[in-house]
Amino acid sequence: GAGVSQSPSNKVTEKGKDVELRCDPISGHTALYWYRQSLGQGLEFLIYFQGNSAPDKSGLPSDRFSAERTGGSVSTLTIQRTQQEDSAVYLCASSLFDITGTEAFFGQGTRLTVV
Amino acid sequence: TQLLEQSPQFLSIQEGENLTVYCNSSSVFSSLQWYRQEPGEGPVLLVTVVTGGEVKKLKRLTFQFGDARKDSSLHITAAQPGDTGLYLCAGANAGNNRKLIWGLGTSLAVNP
């Protein structure tokens, strides 16, 4: 597609349920990032992919969070046993190589609400 | 812990006014990026500055990177309602290039 696409755009889930968030990056972009943005907060780095590997997953807040990327393209962020503090907007970004070397393109985000 | 402080946090001005927002840190960054984010959308890159003292202009927007590469400013001349949004700065250092450090942003409202 022409831009980074994220789905769903909104997700309401019950506490304790698992959720999957999907990111379709721009075709050909090798670098992919997941961020979390809470109300009144900046962007919190979660994980970085280069191709299918994740050289930096240091931002994942707990072992309930995991992410994978297949075919150097689509990425899925999975949150198991969701908690209310997981409520936030989850943003995905892709770039040609490195977020500091080339422009990063963001999706519109997935707003997750845990009730 | 690296931090980027943005000020002011909120700014509401009338169309035609000038404004400056600031991004400050005690840490040195190898580069700094400015983004604008509109409601329901992801941030969009405006500019990247990499050299201490660098000034970049984008139409009515002027970006400056501090000489010591610890701070940056964004000046908007004759603000328009279309400039309304959340302005975020993000810094990177040579040792951790892939993980940008983000400020909390300045929320700007330009009233017609």
Side-chain angles (χ1 to χ4, degrees):
Chain A
V4 178
S5 178
Q6 292 186 246
S7 61
S9 55
N10 282 285
K11 177 71 177 180
V12 180
T13 189
E14 292 182 351
K15 179 180 173 181
K17 300 285 188 182
D18 298 351
V19 294
E20 284 189 354
L21 312 180
R22 177 186 169 105
C23 173
D24 282 276
I26 293 173
S27 178
H29 280 193
T30 56
L32 185 148
Y33 303 79
W34 281 99
Y35 289 92
R36 181 168 70 175
Q37 187 174 33
S38 302
L39 189 64
Q41 302 295 316
L43 294 181
E44 177 187 4
F45 168 82
L46 298 178
I47 189 169
Y48 158 68
F49 286 93
Q50 182 60 245
N52 289 336
S53 64
D56 189 348
K57 54 179 75 172
S58 62
L60 295 177
S62 76
D63 58 8
R64 296 186 295 104
F65 286 72
S66 63
E68 65 176 12
R69 189 179 185 193
T70 56
S73 182
V74 173
S75 177
T76 302
L77 177 68
T78 301
I79 308 174
Q80 295 179 310
R81 305 181 301 282
T82 52
Q83 304 294 315
Q84 288 184 332
E85 61 262 29
D86 299 334
S87 296
V89 175
Y90 289 81
L91 288 162
C92 173
S94 72
S95 78
L96 277 172
F97 175 65
D98 185 288
I99 201 166
T100 61
T102 61
E103 180 175 357
F105 294 83
F106 282 82
Q108 81 283 5
T110 293
R111 181 176 298 278
L112 175 66
T113 304
V114 182
V115 297
Chain B
T1 302
Q2 288 184 307
L3 290 173
L4 271 172
E5 296 184 356
Q6 291 191 243
S7 61
Q9 188 176 358
F10 299 99
L11 188 58
S12 180
I13 61 171
Q14 295 301 120
E15 181 177 0
E17 292 183 5
N18 302 332
L19 67 119
T20 303
V21 299
Y22 300 92
C23 177
N24 296 306
S25 175
S26 58
S27 301
V28 175
F29 292 101
S30 58
S31 66
L32 194 139
Q33 300 179 354
W34 283 93
Y35 289 78
R36 186 174 77 191
Q37 184 178 22
E38 298 186 14
E41 303 291 329
V44 176
L45 180 71
L46 296 174
V47 77
T48 301
V49 286
V50 297
T51 305
E54 181 178 6
V55 176
K56 280 192 173 179
K57 292 191 175 183
L58 186 66
K59 295 184 180 178
R60 292 176 293 99
L61 278 59
T62 302
F63 305 85
Q64 185 163 8
F65 202 12
D67 291 342
R69 290 184 289 130
K70 293 182 179 181
D71 54 81
S72 181
S73 64
L74 159 59
H75 181 78
I76 302 179
T77 303
Q80 304 293 313
D83 296 328
T84 294
L86 178 68
Y87 289 81
L88 293 158
C89 65
N93 61 49
N96 199 9
N97 274 333
R98 297 180 302 277
K99 190 189 301 182
L100 288 175
I101 307 299
W102 293 85
L104 293 182
T106 293
S107 181
L108 172 66
V110 182
N111 306 302

